[in-house]
């Protein structure tokens, strides 16, 4: 009779343990409770607005930009992404080191690990059962190994990660430029609305009083009903237009507060621009300068160049994986087995392995690498075309905005003169109250139109710099306070307005090698390069090898560019 090796109690215990283990592996979704959501919201709100310098006075344009650059969450996210790529690069560099692995352990069994031998010829037992290991033992080893193939792949991965770090910095530059542009637009919209608010309130009060008086006149039947209704309709139209202008202030200031990372409902004031501020901004660059600068300064183009580098590195890493792999190792070992003659020993070796079928994969890997590189180059060229289009559009938009602002400014000045004449006529009772209210409303609307045109002009002016890749921030900032950052932004703006942007030497000369239709503005303006009386010295720079349209251009020494 065969004896059952398992007892019923042991079997039931094993089943219970298995069921308990399986139930522990089951995971059920747990939704956030309202208390947890509220606590999380309060913590996020506290983290969003803590450690910020308080607003102590009227905010200028430079301070608004400084607060946006320092505290805006998108900017902080860009900095964190750059820090993440830096840390990933440090990890990639550590992967280049050999592997140093240490291990230790204990093992045991409930009986002796014995064995016997059998004769291959006779099939009979040739050695009585014996053992050569203890029932329990401890072992430890320390091994240094280095795989040549893994090192090569890790090297290319680290190089690619270094390019990602640079691309992350370019992405941060783009975020800063976008934030600065949004702040510029929101600031001028809010500042002009706040500046015009007293005049809007005064005109709105006059219109509402005139409307109330007109309704009383209608009730008293002092004038014809049709004439009274037309009078009220004109006043209501003016009240509606003034209320629209009044409502724009709160929206613009809330948007600006969000960009500066202030609570949207914050109460703050802006530096009021005077009439002298509404002047045509200077633009010290011609279209050829801006196009050439954008080819090397725009963060999007630089990012594409880094991606093209990584395309080459990916191909090299794929090629390297087709080669034989060599693994070098050396180590020290210990085993507590009492049957061993030497319980401490060192070993070293070399192991080479190669998948011979990799030879068949070489043509496909090569074609894939070439296609990847062609795609990267085409992406970069498409980005250059898009950037050139943006520069030209920004240039034309600035010219159009300049004309619109000049005409709006003239209309506003004429309307101001009309208002003064209307006030005099009303004071001498030569004009009705409706005409005076209408003239005041038209003056407010003309001023608002002029202010909007000026805001659009400022945005177009900043868009030209952004399209050319001219950073609103200097390369180095003295301090981290809002005041120091504001001064740096102001000084950098003055530098750009004076034409001291970062146009690399020789770019203007490279424009002489046409990549398309010559720019009419460059041809009609002052020559970019003064002709040297001596024989010119031709320079060739390797940096142009990745610039597509400027590849192989001859560069001459620049003696004078735009009288600078």
């Amino acid at each position: 009779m065969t004896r059952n090796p398992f007892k019923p109690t042991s079997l039931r215990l094993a089943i219970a343990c298995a069921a308990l283990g399986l139930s522990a592996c089951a995971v059920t979704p747990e939704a956030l409770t309202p208390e947890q959501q509220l606590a999380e919201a309060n913590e996020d709100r506290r983290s969003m607005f803590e450690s910020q310098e308080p607003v102590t006075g009227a905010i200028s344009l430079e301070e608004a930009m400084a607060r946006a650059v320092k505290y805006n969450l998108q900017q902080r996210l860009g900095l964190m992404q750059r820090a993440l790529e830096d840390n990933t690069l440090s990890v990639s560099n550590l992967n280049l080191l050999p592997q140093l692995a240490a291990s230790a352990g204990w093992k045991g069994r409930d009986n002796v690990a014995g064995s016997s031998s059998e004769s291959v010829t006779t099939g009979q037992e040739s050695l009585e059962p014996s053992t050569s290991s203890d029932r329990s033992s401890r072992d430890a080893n320390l091994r240094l190994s280095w795989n040549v193939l893994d090192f090569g792949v890790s090297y290319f991965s680290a190089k690619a990660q270094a390019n990602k770090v640079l691309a992350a910095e370019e992405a941060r530059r783009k975020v800063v430029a976008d934030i600065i542009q949004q702040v510029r637009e929101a600031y001028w919209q809010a500042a002009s609305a706040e500046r015009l608010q007293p005049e809007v309130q005064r005109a709105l009060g006059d219109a509402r009083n005139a409307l109330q008086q007109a309704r009383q006149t209608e009730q008293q039947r002092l004038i014809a009903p049709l004439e009274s209704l037309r009078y009220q309709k004109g006043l209501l139209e003016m009240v509606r237009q003034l209320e629209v202008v009044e409502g724009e202030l709160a929206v613009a200031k809330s948007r600006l507060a969000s960009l500066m990372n202030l609570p949207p409902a914050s109460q703050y004031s802006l530096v009021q621009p005077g009439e002298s501020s509404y002047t045509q901004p200077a633009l010290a660059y011609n279209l050829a300068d801006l196009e050439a600068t954008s080819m090397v300064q725009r963060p999007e183009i630089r990012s594409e160049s880094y991606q093209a580098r990584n395309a080459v590195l990916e191909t090299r890493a794929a090629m390297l994986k087709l080669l034989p792999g060599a693994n070098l190792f050396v180590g020290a070992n210990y085993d507590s087995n009492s049957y061993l003659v030497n319980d401490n020993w060192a070993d070293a070796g070399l192991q080479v392995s190669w998948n011979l079928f990799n030879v068949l994969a070489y043509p496909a890997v090569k074609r894939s690498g070439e296609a990847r590189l062609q795609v990267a180059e085409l992406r970069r060229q498409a980005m250059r075309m898009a950037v050139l289009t943006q520069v030209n559009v920004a240039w034309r938009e600035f010219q159009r905005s300049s004309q619109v602002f000049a005409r709006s400014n003239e209309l506003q000045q004429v309307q101001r003169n009309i208002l003064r004449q209307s006030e005099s006529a009303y004071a001498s009772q030569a004009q009705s109250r409706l005409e005076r209210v209408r003239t005041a409303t038209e003056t407010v609307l003309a001023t608002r139109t002029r202010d909007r045109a000026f805001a659009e002009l400022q945005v177009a002016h900043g868009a030209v710099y952004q399209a050319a890749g001219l950073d609103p921030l200097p390369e180095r900032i003295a301090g981290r306070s809002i005041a120091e950052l504001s001064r740096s932004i102001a000084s950098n703006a003055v530098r750009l307005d004076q034409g001291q942007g970062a146009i690399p030497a020789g770019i203007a000369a490279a424009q002489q090698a046409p990549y398309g239709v010559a720019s009419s503005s460059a041809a009609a303006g002052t020559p970019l390069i003064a002709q040297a009386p001596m024989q010119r010295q031709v320079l060739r720079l390797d940096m142009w090898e990745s610039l597509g349209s400027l590849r192989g251009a001859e560069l001459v020494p620049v003696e004078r560019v735009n009288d600078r």
Side-chain angles (χ1 to χ4, degrees), residues 336-490:
S336 65
N337 188 2
S338 61
Y339 292 93
L340 295 176
V341 176
N342 298 311
D343 58 356
N344 292 277
W345 70 95
D347 59 351
L350 168 66
Q351 183 178 7
V352 179
S353 61
W354 189 24
N355 183 1
L356 299 180
F357 283 105
N358 286 341
V359 177
L360 303 178
Y362 173 77
V365 172
K366 183 179 179 181
R367 288 194 302 270
S368 176
E370 292 175 350
R372 187 185 297 112
L373 181 59
Q374 290 175 0
V375 169
E377 290 180 349
L378 189 58
R379 283 172 54 91
R380 187 177 67 241
Q381 293 170 10
M383 180 60 67
R384 290 190 189 281
M385 186 61 196
V387 167
L388 284 175
T389 303
Q390 291 176 5
V391 171
N392 280 266
V393 169
W395 175 270
R396 306 301 176 190
E397 186 65 23
F398 176 74
Q399 302 297 332
R400 185 197 65 81
S401 299
S402 299
Q403 295 176 357
V404 172
F405 168 70
R407 198 65 60 212
S408 301
N409 196 29
E410 292 178 1
L411 290 174
Q412 191 266 348
Q413 293 176 2
V414 171
Q415 186 62 39
R416 284 289 177 185
N417 294 331
I418 294 176
L419 178 62
R420 283 192 290 267
Q421 296 295 330
S422 178
E423 292 287 348
S424 300
Y426 180 77
S428 61
Q429 298 183 353
Q431 190 180 70
S432 65
R433 185 175 185 180
L434 177 62
E435 290 300 324
R436 186 179 70 86
V437 172
R438 187 189 308 278
T439 303
T441 302
E442 291 175 351
T443 304
V444 170
L445 295 178
T447 304
R448 183 58 176 154
T449 301
R450 190 277 311 267
D451 294 349
R452 280 181 171 177
F454 183 74
E456 291 178 0
L457 178 60
Q458 290 291 334
V459 172
H461 184 256
V464 171
Y465 289 160
Q466 184 181 11
L470 298 175
D471 292 331
L473 296 179
E475 294 183 0
R476 295 184 180 180
I477 300 175
R480 297 184 178 180
S481 66
I482 294 296
E484 292 169 332
L485 188 55
S486 301
R487 287 192 293 269
S488 299
I489 293 175

Side-chain angles (χ1 to χ4, degrees), residues 1-288:
M1 179 177 177
T2 304
R3 184 178 179 182
N4 187 2
F6 296 103
K7 296 181 179 180
T9 304
S10 301
L11 182 60
R12 286 194 294 268
L13 181 60
I15 294 175
C17 292
L20 182 62
L22 292 176
S23 63
C25 297
V27 178
T28 58
E30 296 181 4
L32 291 174
T33 63
E35 292 77 10
Q36 291 175 333
Q37 295 179 4
L38 182 60
E40 182 179 339
N42 292 332
E43 179 63 23
D44 289 344
R45 188 178 181 88
R46 183 190 62 80
S47 301
M48 286 162 55
F49 304 114
E50 69 176 355
S51 302
Q52 294 187 180
E53 295 186 26
V55 178
T56 57
I59 298 178
S60 63
L61 175 61
E62 291 76 17
E63 182 179 351
M65 291 180 176
R67 288 185 174 274
V69 169
K70 187 173 183 179
Y71 300 130
N72 187 272
L73 295 179
Q74 291 295 331
Q75 157 67 359
R76 288 157 65 180
L77 177 61
L79 289 175
M80 291 301 297
Q81 290 175 343
R82 166 64 192 272
L84 175 62
E85 297 296 343
D86 283 336
N87 294 332
T88 306
L89 177 60
S90 300
V91 175
S92 299
N93 288 330
L94 292 177
N95 291 335
L96 298 176
L97 299 177
Q99 295 183 1
L100 181 61
S103 64
W106 174 90
K107 61 181 179 180
R109 54 183 297 159
D110 60 348
N111 51 22
V112 177
S115 63
S116 62
S117 298
E118 182 182 89
S119 173
V120 177
T121 304
T122 62
Q124 298 179 355
E125 181 178 354
S126 60
L127 182 67
E128 62 180 347
S130 61
T131 183
S132 61
S133 61
D134 297 330
R135 294 177 59 180
S136 64
S137 64
R138 301 181 305 276
D139 61 355
N141 63 76
L142 181 66
R143 173 160 296 192
L144 179 67
S145 61
W146 187 53
N147 191 295
V148 178
L149 187 59
D150 290 344
F151 171 79
V153 174
S154 299
Y155 173 77
F156 290 125
S157 298
K159 294 281 289 184
Q161 184 59 39
N163 290 329
K164 291 181 180 179
V165 171
L166 298 175
E169 174 61 22
E170 298 304 324
R172 189 196 66 83
R173 283 183 57 215
K174 185 178 184 300
V175 169
V176 170
D178 291 340
I179 291 175
I180 291 293
Q181 187 70 353
Q182 294 174 19
V183 169
R184 181 181 287 107
E185 180 179 3
Y187 176 86
W188 283 111
Q189 292 285 355
S192 60
E194 185 176 3
R195 174 178 175 271
L196 196 60
Q197 188 180 27
E199 191 172 349
V200 172
Q201 293 289 346
R202 183 168 57 253
L204 191 57
D206 292 342
R208 286 171 177 170
N209 291 335
L211 180 60
Q212 182 65 25
Q213 185 179 2
R215 288 171 177 171
Q216 293 176 0
T217 303
E218 180 188 7
Q219 293 175 359
Q220 297 174 3
R221 302 289 182 175
L222 298 178
I223 59 176
L226 183 58
E227 183 180 353
S228 176
L229 291 175
R230 288 175 177 174
Y231 184 78
Q232 293 181 41
K233 177 184 177 183
L235 288 173
L236 286 172
E237 287 289 341
M238 287 179 263
V239 170
R240 180 184 62 82
Q241 293 174 349
L242 291 172
E243 287 176 344
V244 169
V245 174
E246 184 184 30
E248 291 176 351
L249 172 63
V251 176
K253 293 191 70 173
S254 296
R255 182 186 175 197
L256 181 59
S258 175
L259 291 171
M260 294 187 296
N261 203 46
L262 294 175
S266 299
Q267 298 296 327
Y268 64 94
S269 59
L270 301 174
V271 174
Q272 296 297 320
E275 284 294 330
S276 59
S277 301
Y278 291 90
T279 57
Q280 175 76 22
L283 187 59
Y285 308 99
N286 57 34
L287 185 56

